[in-house]
Amino acid sequence: MRMIMKVLKSGEISYAIQNLYRLVYALFCIVIGSGFIVAVTEGSLTVAAIIPVILFLLGLIGLTYQESWVFDPHAEIVKSRFGVAVFIKKETIPSDKIRSIEITHFVRGGTTGDTSVIPKGRNKAMVVFSIVLNDNTKRDVEIIPEKTSAGRTEKAAQAIAAAMNLPFYADREYDNIQKVTVSEL
């Protein structure tokens, strides 16, 4: 699920999952739920009806999933919310406990710093947007394929670091030159 950055009227910066995903899950729940209700009212409920119930529950989990980060430069805090339905974990991090905002890159299937792994197939090039705390622990804000990010995650992290007056670190610049193979043509 792609996260987007919004600057709120209060001056806070929100970095959260797009509402479009919730709309898709809501439509999915309506279609599956209405089909299940029709099956129950017609009396054609069988053991195979467990599959639509499971699909409905999965859609409901997707609908109620929350992941958001709010960066408040005035109060100098970062608030996070993560979870499903009523099972939400909230955390507030004061700015003085944050060492930096960080962007790192890696390729799935390789180890850290291994440059021999080629981003191909399942081994995608990934971008990690993290908050590094003073005790060297990290809070990963977003982990996304570099191709999907297309530089937006890097730009958002840089803008958030500037607004929060925090140091920004990137292990490398965004590589906007895409390798094109013969099979992709």
Side-chain angles (χ1 to χ4, degrees), residues 80-101:
S80 71
R81 292 173 53 95
F82 174 79
V84 176
V86 295
F87 305 104
I88 303 290
K89 179 184 177 189
K90 297 178 185 178
E91 183 180 18
T92 301
I93 306 169
S95 288
D96 60 350
K97 301 235 188 244
I98 300 173
R99 182 184 327 149
S100 65
I101 303 288

Side-chain angles (χ1 to χ4, degrees), residues 69 80 89 91 93 97-106 112 127-143 169-171:
W69 292 82
S80 71
K89 179 184 177 189
E91 183 180 18
I93 306 169
K97 301 235 188 244
I98 300 173
R99 182 184 327 149
S100 65
I101 303 288
E102 180 178 270
I103 290 288
T104 54
H105 299 82
F106 72 95
T112 306
V127 176
V128 182
F129 172 10
S130 303
I131 297 173
V132 181
L133 303 179
N134 290 334
D135 61 356
N136 285 334
T137 59
K138 290 184 180 182
R139 301 287 192 276
D140 291 334
V141 176
E142 183 177 33
I143 302 172
Y169 169 78
D171 61 348

Side-chain angles (χ1 to χ4, degrees), residues 22 25 57 59-67 83-86 88:
R22 284 192 182 84
Y25 280 113
L57 292 175
L60 201 59
I61 288 170
L63 178 64
T64 60
Y65 177 74
Q66 294 182 29
E67 185 175 355
V84 176
V86 295
I88 303 290

Side-chain angles (χ1 to χ4, degrees), residues 1-2 105-106 108 124-128 142-154 174:
M1 289 190 203
R2 178 86 178 99
H105 299 82
F106 72 95
R108 280 188 190 167
K124 294 181 180 179
M126 305 293 284
V127 176
V128 182
E142 183 177 33
I143 302 172
I144 188 169
E146 190 170 2
K147 192 173 186 178
T148 304
S149 169
R152 291 185 298 252
T153 302
E154 292 90 336
Y174 168 64

